Amino acid sequence: YTGILFFPSLIGSFVLTVCSWRRIPVYCSHHVEMQIFAHKHVPFRPVCEFGMFMYNLIGKWPATRWGTLNAAPTLCFARDHLGKEHEERLRRVPSGTHDVFKSEADDPNERSDVRRTRFGVDDEKTRVILMVQRLSGEKGTERIFPALKPKDGGKATSDGEGSVDAVLAIAGDGPSRQFLEAEAKKRRLKVVFMGNVPHQELPRLYR
């Protein structure tokens, strides 16, 4: 048998100690940077710090101590979240497209077709920023919005706000989509919401 745990998890300490005792391998998958979003969603600092301590105590620390493998979307995130001293047990989670991705398109017109039909761009000069993710609060998708230049132009601020003239294409869906659509509309940004895109179609967007 092999155990699988997805973090944040409140049962990590129990599962990992039992599995360690019974010598059962456990794969731990980490996807949320709690240190960032805990302080964002719990503004009262003492409560937030206590919550983080309990999360570390019953979740993260047992994973670093007893998890057979600890995986995250990037090794950079894994090292920051769990500590680079655990490097031998850290792994990167493949994107899901690695078996079907090719850098060369089969159709020479693929790039222009995708830009026109999926991103709403008719020329080669317009920059497109692609984001592929689940749309939920902990992802922080809206944090890119201040950097984007509004549709009607406008000058960038000294800290870079409004300096990126590009179309933002978002592939994904989730509970935050309605909020993100409203926020993009309020800011008058060039954002295309494509909804869920099957993994086998993602290479066409990346190319």
Side-chain angles (χ1 to χ4, degrees):
Y1 297 97
T2 301
I4 300 176
L5 279 173
F6 292 91
F7 287 82
S9 172
L10 297 178
I11 63 172
S13 57
F14 170 74
V15 172
L16 285 160
T17 51
V18 171
C19 288
S20 177
W21 170 52
R22 298 302 301 269
R23 299 179 183 274
I24 299 173
V26 181
Y27 168 91
C28 302
S29 182
H30 304 264
H31 290 270
V32 179
E33 181 47 88
M34 296 292 290
Q35 193 66 35
I36 294 176
F37 294 102
H39 290 88
K40 178 179 178 180
H41 293 289
V42 185
F44 189 53
R45 189 173 185 84
V47 174
C48 180
E49 293 297 335
F50 176 74
M52 284 302 302
F53 172 76
M54 293 304 297
Y55 167 69
N56 290 336
L57 181 66
I58 66 179
K60 189 165 74 171
W61 292 338
T64 59
R65 175 66 179 83
W66 294 303
T68 309
L69 284 179
N70 286 277
T74 67
L75 282 176
C76 180
F77 172 82
R79 294 184 187 109
D80 182 64
H81 187 63
L82 299 168
K84 59 183 178 181
E85 65 270 19
H86 305 286
E87 183 82 22
E88 75 281 357
R89 287 186 288 130
L90 300 183
R91 296 292 186 275
R92 180 181 62 85
V93 181
S95 66
T97 63
H98 59 291
D99 290 331
V100 295
F101 182 81
K102 296 186 299 182
S103 59
E104 299 295 331
D106 294 327
D107 182 353
N109 297 318
E110 179 190 88
R111 177 180 169 84
S112 59
D113 289 343
V114 169
R115 286 173 65 85
R116 183 181 67 257
T117 61
R118 303 305 297 269
F119 305 151
V121 175
D122 293 321
D123 61 84
E124 286 293 326
K125 294 182 179 180
T126 301
R127 186 188 308 177
V128 176
I129 300 173
L130 175 65
M131 296 182 71
V132 180
Q133 62 178 196
R134 181 173 185 267
L135 305 184
S136 55
E138 72 273 10
K139 298 293 186 179
T141 309
E142 71 280 2
R143 288 188 293 174
I144 194 176
F145 286 177
L148 299 175
K149 191 173 184 178
K151 294 177 182 178
D152 53 4
K155 294 183 178 180
T157 62
S158 58
D159 60 358
E161 185 168 328
S163 62
V164 180
D165 188 8
V167 171
L168 174 63
I170 302 177
D173 212 336
S176 293
R177 178 169 177 170
Q178 188 174 4
F179 160 75
L180 293 169
E181 289 178 332
E183 187 70 12
K185 183 177 181 180
K186 183 176 73 173
R187 291 175 174 269
R188 306 183 309 282
L189 302 178
K190 295 172 283 188
V191 182
V192 178
F193 292 88
M194 294 181 285
N196 285 326
V197 178
H199 278 174
Q200 64 269 21
E201 294 182 18
L202 288 176
R204 299 182 72 246
L205 305 185
Y206 287 125
R207 287 193 290 256

